[in-house]
């Protein structure tokens, strides 16, 4: 039985960063696939959105579990994270919404840079961990490997084709919260196949009291795009289900509303329509809407709003004008489910109440650490989730290393 100081279960972003942070110790990475970080290579459309460069306090305020993440974010700041790569010659650019990408726009370069650090780290591929036991202050993994510390970095349950199948939920005695879809396209009650491919730019999507700005894309099954992916997290938090029990999720009485004209208030639209309807009285409503909406979206809008596009502006009733304003400011869609196969992250995981946020060490088992998506915290699209992975991984690796000194 080979012995190591630190065994890292999972060779994704958090596991690799844990190894980087613990360099100098005798480390093994146990990866179930035949290659490292399969999911990392898919992020940012294959470009790898490394992190989000908002000021750290503003960044933390974007997270549901900001108090738990605070210490890891301050331990591995964005500046320090980027320097890890720049020290190996990989540089970055900042795009809209503070998103950070490698200059090469290749996720594989991020992976290659991380692996360049790991020349002295033992990596075992096609190694699916089945059991972890602790005997005499040592961890025994599959009766094959002995380690002083173990870091669980197995990821969540989404994108199972990359190896993320929820293995880490079952390897310890730690409680697991309900596991749900995150950053998922949504399935609508409406049949939108005839409108698939239409983009709605710079709109606002609301769910109950929450509102998220961004783009929306209509698909054959429903809606996607950054604003929809982000709102899906809130829908998951708000609805009772657990993917560990059942993956065929049907939502009941879930509605979102899209503000198609967020630059106008209702009063401003009303005033605009008074002036425009007088000045352009002979114009048909469907033609007038071209000034406000994507042309190909207008038929769907009119259908859902219950308005006649052939009516002239001068003949629109007060009732229909109010209906027009209400629909522009909040076009409703009923959501019946998630496109789970396209869910990018997992909501839920190992309960953070049992994890020391200052070290990522278990409060239940000394020497056992957790990092990345296997934990409960989840973020929006735009570099937030890789930020969690890298920061918690770094803190776990650093803490495990220091505990052995």
């Amino acid at each position: 039985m080979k012995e190591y100081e630190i065994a890292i279960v999972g060779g994704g972003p958090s596991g690799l960063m844990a190894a980087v942070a613990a360099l100098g110790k005798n480390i093994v990475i146990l990866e179930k696939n035949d290659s490292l970080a399969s999911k990392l290579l898919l992020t940012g459309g294959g470009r790898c959105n490394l992190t989000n460069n908002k000021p750290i306090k503003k960044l933390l305020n974007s997270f549901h579990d900001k108090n738990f993440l605070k210490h890891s974010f301050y331990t591995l700041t964005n500046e320090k994270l980027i320097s890890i790569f720049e020290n190996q010659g990989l540089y970055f650019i900042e795009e809209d919404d503070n998103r950070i990408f490698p200059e090469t726009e290749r996720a594989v370069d991020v992976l290659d840079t991380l692996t360049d650090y790991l020349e002295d780290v033992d990596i075992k591929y096609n190694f699916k961990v089945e059991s972890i036991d602790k005997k005499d202050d040592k961890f025994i993994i599959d009766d094959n490997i002995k380690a002083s510390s173990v870091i669980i970095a197995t990821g969540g349950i989404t994108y199972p084709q990359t190896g993320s199948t929820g293995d880490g939920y079952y390897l310890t005695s730690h409680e697991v919260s309900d596991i749900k879809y995150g950053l998922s396209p949504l399935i609508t009650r409406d049949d939108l196949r005839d409108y698939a491919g239409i983009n709605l730019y710079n709109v606002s999507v609301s769910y109950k009291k929450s509102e998220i700005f961004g783009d929306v894309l209509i698909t054959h099954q429903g809606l996607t795009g950054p604003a929809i992916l982000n709102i899906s997290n809130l829908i998951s938090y708000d609805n009772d289900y657990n993917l560990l029990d059942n993956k065929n999720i049907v939502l009941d009485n879930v509605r979102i509303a899209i503000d198609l004209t967020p630059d106008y208030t209702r009063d401003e639209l009303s005033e605009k329509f008074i002036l425009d309807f007088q000045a352009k009285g002979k114009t048909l409503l469907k033609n007038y809407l071209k000034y406000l909406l994507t042309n190909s979206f207008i038929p769907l809008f009119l259908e859902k709003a219950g308005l006649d596009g052939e009516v002239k502006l001068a003949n629109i009733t007060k009732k229909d004008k109010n209906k027009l304003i209400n629909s522009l400011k909040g076009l409703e869609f009923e959501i019946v489910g998630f496109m789970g196969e396209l869910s990018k992250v997992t909501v839920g995981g190992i309960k953070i109440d049992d994890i020391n946020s200052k070290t990522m060490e278990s409060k239940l088992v000394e020497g056992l650490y957790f990092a990345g998506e296997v934990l409960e915290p989840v973020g929006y699209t735009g570099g937030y989730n890789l930020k969690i992975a890298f920061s918690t991984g770094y803190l776990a690796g650093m803490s495990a290393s220091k505990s052995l000194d």
Side-chain angles (χ1 to χ4, degrees):
M1 187 182 298
K2 192 161 185 181
E3 184 167 349
Y4 297 88
E5 290 179 291
I6 300 173
I8 301 172
V9 184
S14 58
L16 295 179
M17 190 56 75
V20 170
L23 286 176
K25 302 299 182 185
N26 185 16
I27 303 168
V28 63
I29 296 175
L30 307 175
E31 170 55 47
K32 68 184 289 187
N33 293 330
D34 56 11
S35 61
L36 296 170
S38 298
K39 192 173 178 181
L40 175 71
L41 299 179
L42 300 176
T43 61
R47 299 172 59 219
C48 189
N49 186 179
L50 188 84
T51 187
N52 189 284
N53 206 30
K54 283 187 175 71
I56 195 164
K57 289 183 179 179
K58 189 174 182 181
L59 186 63
L60 281 165
N61 283 333
S62 304
F63 292 93
H64 183 266
D65 298 306
K66 64 180 180 180
N67 291 332
F68 176 81
L69 294 170
K70 182 177 180 179
H71 191 78
S72 66
F73 279 26
Y74 275 97
T75 299
L76 184 69
T77 62
N78 280 335
E79 292 77 13
K80 190 171 183 177
L81 170 63
I82 291 170
S83 73
I84 288 172
F85 294 93
E86 289 185 339
N87 289 343
Q88 297 292 323
L90 183 63
Y91 296 90
F92 294 85
I93 55 175
E94 183 170 339
E95 297 189 358
D96 58 299
D97 297 324
N98 307 105
R99 296 176 302 151
I100 299 295
F101 293 90
E103 279 186 342
T104 61
E105 299 190 329
R106 285 163 33 99
V108 68
D109 293 333
V110 173
L111 175 57
D112 288 345
T113 302
L114 287 172
T115 54
D116 284 346
Y117 278 99
L118 307 181
E119 289 184 359
D120 296 326
V121 173
D122 197 358
I123 302 175
K124 296 186 181 295
Y125 296 99
N126 301 303
F127 194 115
K128 186 178 186 299
V129 174
E130 301 289 352
S131 66
I132 300 175
D133 299 301
K134 193 171 187 183
K135 298 177 182 178
D136 301 326
D137 294 327
K138 298 289 184 180
F139 291 93
I140 308 299
I141 301 173
D142 289 359
D143 294 324
N144 189 310
I145 286 174
K146 183 182 289 188
S148 301
S149 297
V150 169
I151 300 173
I152 306 291
T154 50
I157 204 171
T158 54
Y159 275 134
Q161 64 271 30
T162 66
S164 296
T165 52
D167 301 344
Y169 306 145
Y170 308 103
L171 291 175
T172 73
S173 59
H174 275 257
E175 288 189 21
V176 180
S177 63
D178 286 348
I179 300 301
K180 304 180 180 183
Y181 292 123
L183 299 184
S184 175
L186 300 173
I187 302 171
T188 57
R189 176 78 65 188
D190 296 313
D191 184 348
L192 301 180
R193 282 176 291 185
D194 291 343
Y195 305 96
I198 295 175
N199 280 289
L200 306 176
Y201 296 106
N202 301 314
V203 297
S204 172
V205 180
S206 59
Y207 171 69
K208 296 189 173 180
K209 294 182 180 181
S210 299
E211 185 177 22
I212 293 178
F213 289 86
D215 298 341
V216 171
L217 172 65
I218 299 176
T219 72
H220 285 81
Q221 288 184 279
L223 302 170
T224 188
I228 294 296
L229 298 181
N230 289 336
I231 214 80
S232 76
N233 285 7
L234 305 181
I235 293 173
S236 273
Y237 277 127
D238 197 45
N239 285 268
D240 185 20
Y241 71 93
N242 190 347
L243 294 175
L244 299 183
D245 299 329
N246 177 22
K247 292 188 178 182
N248 298 316
I249 308 304
V250 178
L251 299 174
D252 182 44
N253 198 31
V254 172
R255 288 177 171 79
I256 63 171
I258 301 179
D259 183 348
L260 299 161
T261 55
D263 292 337
Y264 291 96
T265 65
R266 289 176 180 271
D267 288 342
E268 287 169 343
L269 278 179
S270 182
E271 292 173 8
K272 175 178 175 61
F273 291 162
I274 290 172
L275 296 175
D276 288 353
F277 289 9
Q278 289 176 349
K280 304 174 182 179
K282 294 182 179 181
T283 302
L284 298 181
L285 176 59
K286 67 179 183 180
N287 294 329
Y288 174 73
L289 286 173
K290 294 176 184 178
Y291 296 103
L292 296 170
L293 303 173
T294 300
N295 191 32
S296 54
F297 179 69
I298 292 172
L300 176 61
F301 172 81
L302 290 169
E303 178 186 340
K304 289 186 64 62
L307 293 168
D308 181 4
E310 300 295 331
V311 69
K312 294 180 180 179
L313 297 184
N315 296 331
I316 292 179
T317 65
K318 182 178 180 181
K319 180 181 178 180
D320 280 350
K321 188 183 85 166
N322 289 335
K323 192 184 291 186
L324 176 61
I325 292 172
N326 288 336
S327 297
L328 286 170
K329 295 302 293 178
L331 192 67
E332 281 200 354
F333 290 86
E334 183 179 357
I335 305 303
V336 297
F338 302 93
M339 298 182 209
E341 69 279 7
L342 298 178
S343 173
K344 297 181 183 298
V345 296
T346 304
V347 172
I350 299 294
K351 290 188 175 182
I352 58 176
D353 286 346
D354 295 326
I355 307 298
N356 184 340
S357 64
K358 298 291 197 299
T359 61
M360 294 295 125
E361 186 176 18
S362 166
K363 295 178 182 178
L364 309 179
V365 182
E366 186 178 356
L368 178 64
Y369 301 80
F370 292 86
E373 199 177 337
V374 72
L375 292 164
E376 285 184 284
V378 67
Y380 291 141
T381 184
Y384 295 88
N385 291 288
L386 272 182
K387 173 63 176 175
I388 295 175
F390 286 133
S391 292
T392 58
Y394 189 90
L395 180 56
M398 183 186 76
S399 301
S401 177
K402 285 183 177 180
S403 73
L404 299 172
D405 291 339

mmCIF file of all heavy atoms in Angstrom, residues 40-51 92 100-102 105-108 110-111 386 390:
data_model
loop_
_atom_site.group_PDB
_atom_site.id
_atom_site.type_symbol
_atom_site.label_atom_id
_atom_site.label_comp_id
_atom_site.label_asym_id
_atom_site.label_seq_id
_atom_site.Cartn_x
_atom_site.Cartn_y
_atom_site.Cartn_z
ATOM 1 N N LEU A 40 -13.589 21.616 -17.026
ATOM 2 C CA LEU A 40 -12.896 22.897 -17.189
ATOM 3 C C LEU A 40 -12.761 23.256 -18.657
ATOM 4 O O LEU A 40 -12.903 24.424 -19.051
ATOM 5 C CB LEU A 40 -11.506 22.834 -16.542
ATOM 6 C CG LEU A 40 -10.610 24.059 -16.744
ATOM 7 C CD1 LEU A 40 -11.137 25.236 -15.933
ATOM 8 C CD2 LEU A 40 -9.167 23.752 -16.371
ATOM 9 N N LEU A 41 -12.513 22.260 -19.490
ATOM 10 C CA LEU A 41 -12.298 22.504 -20.915
ATOM 11 C C LEU A 41 -13.567 22.989 -21.614
ATOM 12 O O LEU A 41 -13.498 23.531 -22.716
ATOM 13 C CB LEU A 41 -11.776 21.239 -21.587
ATOM 14 C CG LEU A 41 -10.429 20.719 -21.064
ATOM 15 C CD1 LEU A 41 -10.026 19.451 -21.792
ATOM 16 C CD2 LEU A 41 -9.339 21.786 -21.209
ATOM 17 N N LEU A 42 -14.729 22.802 -20.968
ATOM 18 C CA LEU A 42 -15.991 23.238 -21.565
ATOM 19 C C LEU A 42 -16.386 24.646 -21.148
ATOM 20 O O LEU A 42 -17.262 25.263 -21.766
ATOM 21 C CB LEU A 42 -17.115 22.278 -21.155
ATOM 22 C CG LEU A 42 -16.962 20.811 -21.560
ATOM 23 C CD1 LEU A 42 -18.119 19.999 -20.984
ATOM 24 C CD2 LEU A 42 -16.906 20.663 -23.069
ATOM 25 N N THR A 43 -15.769 25.169 -20.099
ATOM 26 C CA THR A 43 -16.212 26.446 -19.542
ATOM 27 C C THR A 43 -15.958 27.596 -20.506
ATOM 28 O O THR A 43 -14.991 27.587 -21.275
ATOM 29 C CB THR A 43 -15.492 26.748 -18.217
ATOM 30 O OG1 THR A 43 -14.084 26.838 -18.452
ATOM 31 C CG2 THR A 43 -15.775 25.669 -17.194
ATOM 32 N N GLY A 44 -16.861 28.570 -20.436
ATOM 33 C CA GLY A 44 -16.719 29.739 -21.296
ATOM 34 C C GLY A 44 -16.719 29.395 -22.761
ATOM 35 O O GLY A 44 -16.036 30.042 -23.564
ATOM 36 N N GLY A 45 -17.495 28.383 -23.140
ATOM 37 C CA GLY A 45 -17.528 27.974 -24.537
ATOM 38 C C GLY A 45 -16.190 27.467 -25.044
ATOM 39 O O GLY A 45 -15.854 27.634 -26.217
ATOM 40 N N GLY A 46 -15.428 26.839 -24.139
ATOM 41 C CA GLY A 46 -14.101 26.339 -24.505
ATOM 42 C C GLY A 46 -12.996 27.367 -24.364
ATOM 43 O O GLY A 46 -11.831 27.069 -24.626
ATOM 44 N N ARG A 47 -13.379 28.579 -23.915
ATOM 45 C CA ARG A 47 -12.399 29.659 -23.749
ATOM 46 C C ARG A 47 -11.928 29.774 -22.311
ATOM 47 O O ARG A 47 -10.906 30.381 -22.043
ATOM 48 C CB ARG A 47 -13.001 30.990 -24.202
ATOM 49 C CG ARG A 47 -13.417 31.014 -25.676
ATOM 50 C CD ARG A 47 -14.191 32.291 -25.988
ATOM 51 N NE ARG A 47 -13.396 33.468 -25.713
ATOM 52 C CZ ARG A 47 -13.882 34.589 -25.178
ATOM 53 N NH1 ARG A 47 -15.159 34.666 -24.826
ATOM 54 N NH2 ARG A 47 -13.100 35.622 -24.969
ATOM 55 N N CYS A 48 -12.684 29.240 -21.370
ATOM 56 C CA CYS A 48 -12.382 29.248 -19.937
ATOM 57 C C CYS A 48 -12.503 30.638 -19.312
ATOM 58 O O CYS A 48 -11.550 31.420 -19.299
ATOM 59 C CB CYS A 48 -11.001 28.679 -19.614
ATOM 60 S SG CYS A 48 -10.767 28.473 -17.826
ATOM 61 N N ASN A 49 -13.684 30.904 -18.790
ATOM 62 C CA ASN A 49 -13.933 32.135 -18.025
ATOM 63 C C ASN A 49 -13.369 31.917 -16.620
ATOM 64 O O ASN A 49 -14.056 31.442 -15.731
ATOM 65 C CB ASN A 49 -15.433 32.412 -18.001
ATOM 66 C CG ASN A 49 -15.816 33.726 -17.357
ATOM 67 O OD1 ASN A 49 -16.980 34.049 -17.296
ATOM 68 N ND2 ASN A 49 -14.838 34.484 -16.891
ATOM 69 N N LEU A 50 -12.099 32.272 -16.447
ATOM 70 C CA LEU A 50 -11.322 31.893 -15.263
ATOM 71 C C LEU A 50 -11.930 32.392 -13.959
ATOM 72 O O LEU A 50 -11.966 31.681 -12.955
ATOM 73 C CB LEU A 50 -9.894 32.431 -15.401
ATOM 74 C CG LEU A 50 -8.923 31.952 -14.333
ATOM 75 C CD1 LEU A 50 -8.353 30.599 -14.715
ATOM 76 C CD2 LEU A 50 -7.781 32.966 -14.162
ATOM 77 N N THR A 51 -12.400 33.630 -13.953
ATOM 78 C CA THR A 51 -12.950 34.223 -12.743
ATOM 79 C C THR A 51 -13.741 35.457 -13.131
ATOM 80 O O THR A 51 -13.823 35.819 -14.305
ATOM 81 C CB THR A 51 -11.843 34.579 -11.733
ATOM 82 O OG1 THR A 51 -12.440 35.016 -10.495
ATOM 83 C CG2 THR A 51 -10.927 35.680 -12.255
ATOM 84 N N PHE A 92 -4.018 37.236 -19.418
ATOM 85 C CA PHE A 92 -5.479 37.280 -19.461
ATOM 86 C C PHE A 92 -6.003 38.621 -19.944
ATOM 87 O O PHE A 92 -5.326 39.646 -19.880
ATOM 88 C CB PHE A 92 -6.041 36.965 -18.069
ATOM 89 C CG PHE A 92 -5.760 35.554 -17.633
ATOM 90 C CD1 PHE A 92 -4.554 35.232 -17.032
ATOM 91 C CD2 PHE A 92 -6.671 34.544 -17.863
ATOM 92 C CE1 PHE A 92 -4.266 33.931 -16.657
ATOM 93 C CE2 PHE A 92 -6.401 33.242 -17.495
ATOM 94 C CZ PHE A 92 -5.198 32.938 -16.896
ATOM 95 N N ILE A 100 -13.035 37.269 -16.954
ATOM 96 C CA ILE A 100 -11.606 37.114 -17.245
ATOM 97 C C ILE A 100 -11.385 35.860 -18.089
ATOM 98 O O ILE A 100 -11.823 34.760 -17.726
ATOM 99 C CB ILE A 100 -10.793 37.013 -15.940
ATOM 100 C CG1 ILE A 100 -10.959 38.282 -15.091
ATOM 101 C CG2 ILE A 100 -9.314 36.763 -16.243
ATOM 102 C CD1 ILE A 100 -10.390 39.540 -15.730
ATOM 103 N N PHE A 101 -10.677 36.030 -19.224
ATOM 104 C CA PHE A 101 -10.352 34.922 -20.132
ATOM 105 C C PHE A 101 -8.860 34.935 -20.445
ATOM 106 O O PHE A 101 -8.226 35.996 -20.429
ATOM 107 C CB PHE A 101 -11.109 35.051 -21.460
ATOM 108 C CG PHE A 101 -12.592 34.890 -21.357
ATOM 109 C CD1 PHE A 101 -13.412 35.983 -21.125
ATOM 110 C CD2 PHE A 101 -13.183 33.643 -21.509
ATOM 111 C CE1 PHE A 101 -14.787 35.842 -21.030
ATOM 112 C CE2 PHE A 101 -14.552 33.489 -21.431
ATOM 113 C CZ PHE A 101 -15.361 34.584 -21.190
ATOM 114 N N PRO A 102 -8.283 33.774 -20.745
ATOM 115 C CA PRO A 102 -6.891 33.776 -21.213
ATOM 116 C C PRO A 102 -6.798 34.474 -22.564
ATOM 117 O O PRO A 102 -7.719 34.405 -23.377
ATOM 118 C CB PRO A 102 -6.556 32.286 -21.335
ATOM 119 C CG PRO A 102 -7.871 31.593 -21.476
ATOM 120 C CD PRO A 102 -8.850 32.410 -20.687
ATOM 121 N N GLU A 105 -7.562 32.483 -25.491
ATOM 122 C CA GLU A 105 -8.962 32.049 -25.613
ATOM 123 C C GLU A 105 -9.075 30.534 -25.727
ATOM 124 O O GLU A 105 -9.954 30.002 -26.394
ATOM 125 C CB GLU A 105 -9.653 32.733 -26.803
ATOM 126 C CG GLU A 105 -9.695 34.244 -26.677
ATOM 127 C CD GLU A 105 -10.584 34.906 -27.710
ATOM 128 O OE1 GLU A 105 -10.706 34.360 -28.829
ATOM 129 O OE2 GLU A 105 -11.178 35.947 -27.383
ATOM 130 N N ARG A 106 -8.191 29.840 -25.021
ATOM 131 C CA ARG A 106 -8.177 28.369 -25.060
ATOM 132 C C ARG A 106 -8.157 27.829 -23.632
ATOM 133 O O ARG A 106 -7.188 28.036 -22.888
ATOM 134 C CB ARG A 106 -6.948 27.860 -25.828
ATOM 135 C CG ARG A 106 -7.033 28.011 -27.322
ATOM 136 C CD ARG A 106 -5.666 27.889 -28.002
ATOM 137 N NE ARG A 106 -4.755 26.974 -27.362
ATOM 138 C CZ ARG A 106 -4.540 25.712 -27.775
ATOM 139 N NH1 ARG A 106 -5.200 25.243 -28.831
ATOM 140 N NH2 ARG A 106 -3.669 24.946 -27.162
ATOM 141 N N ALA A 107 -9.227 27.116 -23.264
ATOM 142 C CA ALA A 107 -9.286 26.522 -21.929
ATOM 143 C C ALA A 107 -8.156 25.531 -21.705
ATOM 144 O O ALA A 107 -7.652 25.385 -20.583
ATOM 145 C CB ALA A 107 -10.636 25.838 -21.728
ATOM 146 N N VAL A 108 -7.732 24.865 -22.772
ATOM 147 C CA VAL A 108 -6.675 23.866 -22.631
ATOM 148 C C VAL A 108 -5.377 24.502 -22.151
ATOM 149 O O VAL A 108 -4.572 23.858 -21.469
ATOM 150 C CB VAL A 108 -6.470 23.106 -23.962
ATOM 151 C CG1 VAL A 108 -5.885 24.014 -25.038
ATOM 152 C CG2 VAL A 108 -5.589 21.878 -23.752
ATOM 153 N N VAL A 110 -5.193 26.888 -19.931
ATOM 154 C CA VAL A 110 -5.344 26.993 -18.477
ATOM 155 C C VAL A 110 -5.000 25.657 -17.832
ATOM 156 O O VAL A 110 -4.253 25.596 -16.847
ATOM 157 C CB VAL A 110 -6.788 27.424 -18.118
ATOM 158 C CG1 VAL A 110 -7.010 27.366 -16.605
ATOM 159 C CG2 VAL A 110 -7.065 28.832 -18.636
ATOM 160 N N LEU A 111 -5.534 24.593 -18.396
ATOM 161 C CA LEU A 111 -5.239 23.257 -17.871
ATOM 162 C C LEU A 111 -3.755 22.933 -17.979
ATOM 163 O O LEU A 111 -3.141 22.434 -17.019
ATOM 164 C CB LEU A 111 -6.066 22.211 -18.620
ATOM 165 C CG LEU A 111 -5.784 20.749 -18.268
ATOM 166 C CD1 LEU A 111 -5.965 20.496 -16.785
ATOM 167 C CD2 LEU A 111 -6.657 19.822 -19.103
ATOM 168 N N LEU A 386 -16.026 29.039 -11.220
ATOM 169 C CA LEU A 386 -14.603 28.703 -11.215
ATOM 170 C C LEU A 386 -13.885 29.448 -10.090
ATOM 171 O O LEU A 386 -12.921 28.931 -9.520
ATOM 172 C CB LEU A 386 -13.963 29.024 -12.562
ATOM 173 C CG LEU A 386 -14.016 27.919 -13.612
ATOM 174 C CD1 LEU A 386 -13.312 28.350 -14.889
ATOM 175 C CD2 LEU A 386 -13.397 26.622 -13.085
ATOM 176 N N PHE A 390 -11.506 27.411 -7.601
ATOM 177 C CA PHE A 390 -10.091 27.717 -7.403
ATOM 178 C C PHE A 390 -9.807 28.178 -5.971
ATOM 179 O O PHE A 390 -8.809 27.761 -5.360
ATOM 180 C CB PHE A 390 -9.638 28.792 -8.390
ATOM 181 C CG PHE A 390 -9.487 28.306 -9.803
ATOM 182 C CD1 PHE A 390 -10.027 29.023 -10.862
ATOM 183 C CD2 PHE A 390 -8.806 27.139 -10.083
ATOM 184 C CE1 PHE A 390 -9.890 28.579 -12.175
ATOM 185 C CE2 PHE A 390 -8.654 26.682 -11.392
ATOM 186 C CZ PHE A 390 -9.200 27.414 -12.437
#
